[in-house]
Amino acid sequence: MVWARLGLLLLMLLTGAVAQAESEKDHDRARQLREAGVIVAVEPLIAEAKRRLPGRLLEIEFEDKGDGEYVYEIELVDNKGVVREFFFDAKTGRFLKEGIHWGAQSGEAEGKRR
């Protein structure tokens, strides 16, 4: 039983380390693309997400979808604990969609477009 718990703990630590390395790689890639003028700065998009849902910033993800498509995913939490994700085209800054990530009834606003 002790060995199983230690194995699980080690797996959790290694998974977190891999996720951290991927996050740093995504950050570096986004910075390079921003400096090259390929994608827009994320700060105005954070402001736009907060305009849509006043709340606290939880996370920003940069996703390379392939074929030159890049997406910013901005997660905010409101005062009721609802976490919403806002997706923006990283090349143009155009709002793509929003969805509830956690804290609300299943599917309530999933994939909602504006």
Side-chain angles (χ1 to χ4, degrees), residues 38-39 64-71 89 91:
V38 174
I39 62 173
D64 183 344
K65 300 289 189 178
D67 295 331
E69 182 182 358
Y70 305 105
V71 174
D89 181 316
K91 289 172 89 174

Side-chain angles (χ1 to χ4, degrees), residues 1 8 25 39 51 59 62 86 89 98 109:
M1 185 67 159
L8 181 59
K25 189 166 61 171
I39 62 173
R51 185 189 68 72
E59 181 179 28
F62 174 77
F86 298 88
D89 181 316
E98 91 178 55

Side-chain angles (χ1 to χ4, degrees), residues 14-28:
L14 290 174
T15 303
V18 169
Q20 180 67 28
E22 284 297 315
S23 177
E24 289 176 13
K25 189 166 61 171
D26 289 346
H27 174 78
D28 290 341

